[in-house]
């Protein structure tokens, strides 16, 4: 299995192009199931999760093609993909495919809306928590579906088609909001979602659905109105820049010091994380081409954070921020409120010399002067990248094992960092 080797100590200077957002790309691909016409997606990231989803969609009958790189195009330019669900040949999403990636469960929404039936494997738990699907099931029932759980599968049917309904989520859920947006777009009548996720990826999916002919108002606010339509048509849509990748590299620069232009990044997608970073002493300026992130010799100030749904501090940046705080001049408290088990990186950061104590959902990080390189590994992609960030400043060599986690969500990570002066390489094995 591949490993990433990092020799700490280099400051980051240069340009990092920000890729299209993984967490928008995945539901956008799934939205292609809603129409028999072609959905073309520009600025698609080259990621393992994207590849994995193509297997799942092909199994349902979606034709998938990718435009090759044009002469003069940078290797890091996003891809264009075409997805055509001319006919859906199978409404079952089997365990072998769904268990590899939780987001594949979301096919249940478009399959049920278009084919009036779906049989989708329960995704199961994962490293960051139990992650149930009760909100999805209740919401689809509110849209008129009959749902049973049989042998580990959610079996859903809406013999006469889905009908609009009023859905109030007990807690903000990004995935359940995506699924209801897609399902309700083809339901009869109006659907109202209350306590909807306001994440930029939800807005991106809603904008794409609107481009396909859906009638949606209020995406990006807690109340969304959807007026069902008879059918959706083909469309071309460009994926928004990845705010988590943006925040991750901004934290890497805050950690090492230096001056990096995050090309294509959009500040409005991650204001709370950028405000927090500014409080640590990092300079961030918006320019026409993206976000410029700088930290010169000054120390890193400790800042407390609590993760929250958008526009709060994202849980997907919690691990990376913790890595930064391990080198702060003082103590900080990090509270995780979205997932109950998202502190798997704590023990690994400790192997590099970090001082972190855990009390339930709260981590207290005591900044240290020096981290020391060591072999480490992580069980999810954001935790893995937090170890990379720590490795960039650790004395000596850090080896991050289980690199496939990084490949799920970070496009050409080592190439992007090497271009800015980091000593980082992939070792096959
Ligand atoms: C999305 O996951 C993201 N995944 C996650 O990113 C992200 O961490 C998460 O939203 C929160 O922002 C994708 O977009 C592909 P949720 P999702 O439903 O939709 C509970 C990454 O690293 N819940 O918003 O699965 C759930 O357990 C990933 O890129 C229920 O209780 O998350 C959690 O505590 C990891 N019942 C909370 O809601 C349900 O039926 C929020 O989860 C559904 C969710």
């Amino acid at each position: 299995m591949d490993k990433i080797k990092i020799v700490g100590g280099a400051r980051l200077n240069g340009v990092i192009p920000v890729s299209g957002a993984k967490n928008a790309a995945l539901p956008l691909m799934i939205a292609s199931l809603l129409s028999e016409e072609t959905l073309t997606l520009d600025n698609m990231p080259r990621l393992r999760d994207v590849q994995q989803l193509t297997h799942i969609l092909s199994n349902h009958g979606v034709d998938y093609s990718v435009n090759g790189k044009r002469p003069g195009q940078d290797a890091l330019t996003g891809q264009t993909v075409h997805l055509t669900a001319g006919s859906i040949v199978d409404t079952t999403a089997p365990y072998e495919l769904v268990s590899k990636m939780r987001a594949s469960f979301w096919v249940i929404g478009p399959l049920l809306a278009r084919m009036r039936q779906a049989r989708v494997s329960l995704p199961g738990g994962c490293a960051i928590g139990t992650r149930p699907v009760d909100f999805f099931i209740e919401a689809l029932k509110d849209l008129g579906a009959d749902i049973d759980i049989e042998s580990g599968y959610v079996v859903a049917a809406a013999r006469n088609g889905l009908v609009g309904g009023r859905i109030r989520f007990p807690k903000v859920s990004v995935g359940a909001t995506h699924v209801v947006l897609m399902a309700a777009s083809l339901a009869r009548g109006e659907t109202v979602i209350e306590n909807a996720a306001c994440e930029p990826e939800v807005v991106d999916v809603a904008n794409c659905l609107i481009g396909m002919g859906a009638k949606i108002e209020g995406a990006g606010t807690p109340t969304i109105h959807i007026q069902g339509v008879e059918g959706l048509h083909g469309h071309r849509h460009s994926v928004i820049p990845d705010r988590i990748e943006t925040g991750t590299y901004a934290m890497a620069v805050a950690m090492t010091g230096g001056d990096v232009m995050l090309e294509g990044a959009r500040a409005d997608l991650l204001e709370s994380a950028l405000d927090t970073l500014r409080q640590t002493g990092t300079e961030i300026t918006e320019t026409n081409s993206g976000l410029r992130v700088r930290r010169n010799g000054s120390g890193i100030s400790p800042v407390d954070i609590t993760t929250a749904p958008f526009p709060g501090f994202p849980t997907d940046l919690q691990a990376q921020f913790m890595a930064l705080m391990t080198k702060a001049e003082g103590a900080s408290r990090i509270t995780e409120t979205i997932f109950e088990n998202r502190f798997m990186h704590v023990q690994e950061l400790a192997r590099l010399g970090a001082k972190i104590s855990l009390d339930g959902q709260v981590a207290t990080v005591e900044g240290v002067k020096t981290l020391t390189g060591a072999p480490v590994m992580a069980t999810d992609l954001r935790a893995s990248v937090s170890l990379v960030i720590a490795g960039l400043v650790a004395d000596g060599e850090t080896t991050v094992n289980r690199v496939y986690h990084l490949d799920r969500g970070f496009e050409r990570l080592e190439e992007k960092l090497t271009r800015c002066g980091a000593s980082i390489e992939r070792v096959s094995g």
Side-chain angles (χ1 to χ4, degrees):
M1 224 177 278
D2 289 3
K3 296 172 182 177
I4 295 268
K5 251 191 203 171
I6 307 157
V7 179
R11 289 160 73 88
L12 295 174
N13 285 293
V15 177
I16 297 182
V18 172
S19 298
K22 169 183 82 85
N23 288 349
L26 300 177
L28 285 167
M29 290 170 74
I30 290 173
S32 69
L33 287 166
L34 287 165
S35 170
E36 53 187 45
E37 294 180 15
T38 302
L39 177 63
T40 299
L41 298 173
D42 292 314
N43 198 32
M44 283 285 286
R46 294 169 186 78
L47 296 171
R48 220 169 58 104
D49 272 7
V50 167
Q51 257 175 18
Q52 174 59 24
L53 188 55
T54 61
H55 299 316
I56 290 155
L57 294 177
S58 313
N59 180 61
H60 296 303
V62 177
D63 287 329
Y64 175 87
S65 66
V66 185
N67 281 13
K69 196 156 65 79
R70 296 194 186 86
Q73 238 178 9
D74 189 284
L76 297 173
T77 308
Q79 289 177 305
T80 295
V81 309
H82 308 273
L83 298 132
T84 314
S87 57
I88 292 186
V89 297
D90 194 341
T91 52
T92 294
Y95 173 75
E96 304 76 69
L97 295 175
V98 178
S99 58
K100 293 204 173 114
M101 186 177 58
R102 182 180 160 86
S104 44
F105 180 78
W106 302 349
V107 298
I108 195 166
L111 288 178
L112 188 55
R114 185 167 154 194
M115 304 304 291
R116 303 187 170 191
Q117 60 175 33
R119 189 169 162 270
V120 181
S121 168
L122 284 163
C126 73
I128 60 176
T130 49
R131 303 180 81 183
V133 292
D134 49 335
F135 303 165
F136 296 77
I137 291 175
E138 290 311 311
L140 292 173
K141 281 185 182 166
D142 289 342
L143 297 183
D146 293 318
I147 299 193
D148 288 310
I149 310 287
E150 288 170 12
S151 313
Y153 279 76
V154 179
V155 181
R159 215 172 280 168
N160 300 315
L162 292 174
V163 286
R166 182 169 280 268
I167 290 157
R168 186 178 167 79
F169 288 122
K171 183 175 171 185
V172 170
S173 165
V174 173
T177 305
H178 283 313
V179 163
V180 173
L181 268 181
M182 292 190 228
S185 291
L186 290 184
R188 273 196 318 284
E190 191 188 43
T191 298
V192 180
I193 313 178
E194 289 172 23
N195 203 23
C198 301
E199 268 66 5
E201 294 76 19
V202 169
V203 178
D204 203 34
V205 169
N207 285 339
C208 178
L209 292 171
I210 292 168
M212 293 168 77
K215 293 196 174 144
I216 300 171
E217 277 175 18
T221 75
T223 307
I224 305 181
H225 290 256
I226 306 138
Q227 201 69 50
V229 294
E230 288 269 308
L232 296 179
H233 51 73
H235 180 56
R236 181 165 196 148
H237 180 85
S238 184
V239 181
I240 53 167
D242 196 315
R243 64 193 168 103
I244 304 303
E245 191 195 27
T246 303
T248 300
Y249 288 124
M251 285 173 199
V253 179
M255 186 74 151
T256 64
D259 186 346
V260 169
M261 172 59 76
L262 298 174
E263 210 171 54
R266 266 175 52 188
D268 61 309
L269 304 182
L270 74 163
E271 290 293 1
S272 79
L274 296 181
D275 283 350
T276 308
L277 269 182
R278 287 189 180 104
Q279 290 171 47
T280 69
T282 311
E283 259 184 78
I284 300 169
T285 36
E286 273 187 82
T287 75
N288 287 338
S289 56
L291 286 176
R292 183 172 175 196
V293 183
R294 275 175 294 178
R295 195 171 65 75
N296 299 317
S298 59
I300 300 166
S301 305
V303 182
D304 296 343
I305 58 150
T306 299
T307 62
F310 191 84
F313 190 98
T315 174
D316 290 348
L317 284 173
Q318 181 257 105
Q320 300 88 315
F321 189 72
M322 188 182 291
L324 177 62
M325 288 297 97
T326 63
K327 289 278 289 173
E329 293 176 330
S332 57
R333 280 160 62 91
I334 296 183
T335 309
E336 171 60 50
T337 69
I338 309 290
F339 293 110
E340 74 274 18
N341 194 22
R342 213 173 193 182
F343 279 138
M344 307 289 277
H345 40 285
V346 167
Q347 286 197 349
E348 297 301 301
L349 287 170
R351 289 173 52 74
L352 301 174
K355 277 198 186 159
I356 306 168
S357 59
L358 265 185
D359 182 6
Q361 296 298 92
V362 183
T364 304
V365 188
E366 195 76 54
V368 293
K369 284 232 148 43
T370 314
L371 296 177
T372 312
V376 285
M377 81 170 134
T379 42
D380 80 83
L381 75 155
R382 311 305 177 188
S384 299
V385 86
S386 77
L387 301 173
V388 172
I389 292 178
L392 290 173
V393 296
D395 280 355
E397 190 175 285
T398 298
T399 315
V400 182
N401 294 290
R402 297 202 184 164
V403 167
Y404 63 89
H405 286 300
L406 288 171
D407 294 337
R408 286 189 47 205
F410 289 93
E411 181 174 354
R412 299 178 190 233
L413 172 96
E414 61 279 19
E415 190 175 328
K416 290 186 182 187
L417 287 171
T418 305
R419 284 183 179 196
C420 291
S423 170
I424 174 168
E425 60 170 336
R426 180 180 292 250
V427 184
S428 318

